[in-house]
Amino acid sequence: KHVSARSNVDKLTALRDFLVALGGNSNSALLLDGWTTRTEQRASGSSAGTSDTYFFDTKGARFRSRLEVARHFRLIA
């Protein structure tokens, strides 16, 4: 189920701030231009009711966390 607790812009702003904190250049916002997010609520299991946010680049590649995005931009190993 898709939920929208925070807007796409807010999530991408937080992601940009995270990348800059890891040493990314402040133009990281340009790197995220065209990216989108999707937040889905877990429907079953012991973590039912919690949500996951996914980040999608302009080509549709899915990143499951901010750390995966940071690895994509080679800010961490």
Side-chain angles (χ1 to χ4, degrees):
K1 180 179 177 182
H2 177 71
V3 294
S4 57
R6 282 189 353 191
S7 76
N8 189 52
V9 173
D10 290 344
K11 291 174 189 172
L12 291 175
T13 298
L15 176 60
R16 183 204 61 222
D17 294 346
F18 177 73
L19 297 175
V20 169
L22 289 175
N25 122 10
S26 59
N27 289 331
S28 295
L30 298 176
L31 296 175
L32 297 176
D33 192 34
W35 283 53
T36 60
T37 65
R38 181 173 177 100
T39 301
E40 297 178 358
Q41 190 171 40
R42 294 182 182 186
S44 61
S46 61
S47 58
T50 61
S51 60
D52 298 304
T53 296
Y54 302 102
F55 302 95
F56 297 88
D57 70 9
T58 57
K59 295 180 180 178
R62 182 180 80 168
F63 299 88
R64 294 179 56 176
S65 68
R66 297 182 314 166
L67 289 174
E68 282 190 4
V69 175
R71 285 186 198 101
H72 172 73
F73 288 116
R74 301 177 193 265
L75 295 174
I76 59 173

